[in-house]
Amino acid sequence: MTAPTIDLNADAGESFGRWTLGDDEALFRHITTANIACGYHAGDPATMRSSLIRVREAGIAAGAHPGYPDLLGFGRRALPATDSDVVDYILYQVGALAGLAAAEDVPLTHVKPHGALMGRICRSPELAATVARALQPVLPGVPLMFAPSEAMRAVAAAGLPVIPENAADLDFDQDGINIVEPVPRAKDPEAIADRALDMARGTVRTVGGTVIPMPVRSVCVHGDRPNAVAIAAAVRRRLESAGFLLRAPEQAL
């Protein structure tokens, strides 16, 4: 019997200039996919390049992690922007990372929106489909990675590639969308591992106590959480002990 597979992704490359956030080198030992910040909510050209080099050395997958232009708020504040603005923000950031990735011979496997931008896309089927379509001339075949939702189903229905994912280290609202924490705090790694296993099996419990479907192919942990490495290690152990094979998605829906 073939073992079920699941991807474990983490947001990374979120340092800026002389300011360091997270321990990407240690984190990359436990995950299978890294989402690299592209300079708007975090990151800078040198950090983007060094993150790509670490990805290559670790033998994991890499994708672009674009956010709102909000370094002060780390992209976790909803900013006023038109849908056209959002598309331009994303293409600008993905294009920048794609140039550095080509220079380092690292293929980009997906695009995952960050923070408040992720929430906006999840709640707008029209915007989600527009973004997914706009990415195709830049990176042909690249999937949009985001939460199972009406927006995700709209992208798939339009024949555009998508990878369903969600974060195990954040709580869930009744719509199955993560509740963003303005400032991440340390959390119990074993509790997060329990939730990750539920998600890998297709369900999750909301803050209201309801168990809802959560058909993900990738589970996320956030690299800027104070104990992110311990969480990623615990999640990996739990998934593997339950019989899951951890690897990056081979193809999008």
Side-chain angles (χ1 to χ4, degrees):
M1 183 176 178
T2 303
T5 62
I6 192 74
D7 178 42
L8 178 57
N9 79 79
D11 303 340
E14 293 179 324
S15 298
F16 185 81
R18 296 176 62 185
W19 179 67
T20 299
L21 180 65
D23 186 351
D24 288 354
E25 185 174 359
L27 186 65
F28 287 6
R29 299 183 192 124
H30 304 290
I31 64 174
T32 46
T33 293
N35 316 304
I36 298 175
C38 302
Y40 263 18
H41 77 277
D44 57 60
T47 301
M48 291 157 69
R49 184 188 288 272
S50 64
S51 298
L52 290 162
I53 292 170
R54 285 196 179 102
V55 160
R56 188 182 63 221
E57 292 173 344
I60 61 177
H65 195 40
Y68 278 125
D70 182 27
L71 286 172
L72 184 62
F74 201 72
R76 289 180 172 142
R77 303 182 295 184
L79 299 186
T82 66
D83 283 1
S84 179
D85 288 337
V86 168
V87 172
D88 289 345
Y89 293 160
I90 291 173
L91 293 183
Y92 181 88
Q93 294 172 83
V94 171
L97 187 66
L100 290 166
E104 293 298 337
D105 195 26
V106 176
L108 296 183
T109 61
H110 65 283
V111 173
K112 177 188 168 182
H114 166 81
L117 184 58
M118 165 76 89
R120 175 168 174 172
I121 289 172
C122 284
R123 290 181 170 88
S124 175
E126 182 178 356
L127 176 58
T130 299
V131 168
R133 188 174 293 109
L135 287 168
Q136 298 311 304
V138 181
L139 293 172
V142 73
L144 194 61
M145 178 187 278
F146 69 124
S149 57
E150 287 301 320
M152 189 203 76
R153 289 184 279 277
V155 172
L160 296 162
V162 64
I163 297 172
E165 76 91 48
N166 228 326
D169 62 338
L170 290 175
D171 290 332
F172 288 79
D173 67 17
Q174 290 302 114
D175 296 324
I177 296 173
N178 283 140
I179 299 171
V180 175
E181 295 174 346
V183 180
R185 57 182 174 82
K187 290 188 174 181
D188 179 5
E190 298 305 322
I192 302 304
D194 288 342
R195 180 183 286 165
L197 181 56
D198 287 343
M199 292 169 63
R201 290 172 170 167
T203 65
V204 78
R205 187 177 297 276
T206 70
V207 290
T210 305
V211 176
I212 61 173
M214 186 53 58
V216 297
R217 296 177 60 210
S218 185
V219 174
C220 172
V221 296
H222 286 86
D224 65 325
R225 196 170 295 285
N227 62 335
V229 175
I231 289 173
V235 169
R236 180 161 196 145
R237 284 194 303 269
R238 186 66 53 83
L239 292 171
E240 289 181 334
S241 67
F244 282 88
L245 176 64
L246 270 71
R247 68 183 183 196
E250 294 182 348
Q251 61 183 19
L253 296 180

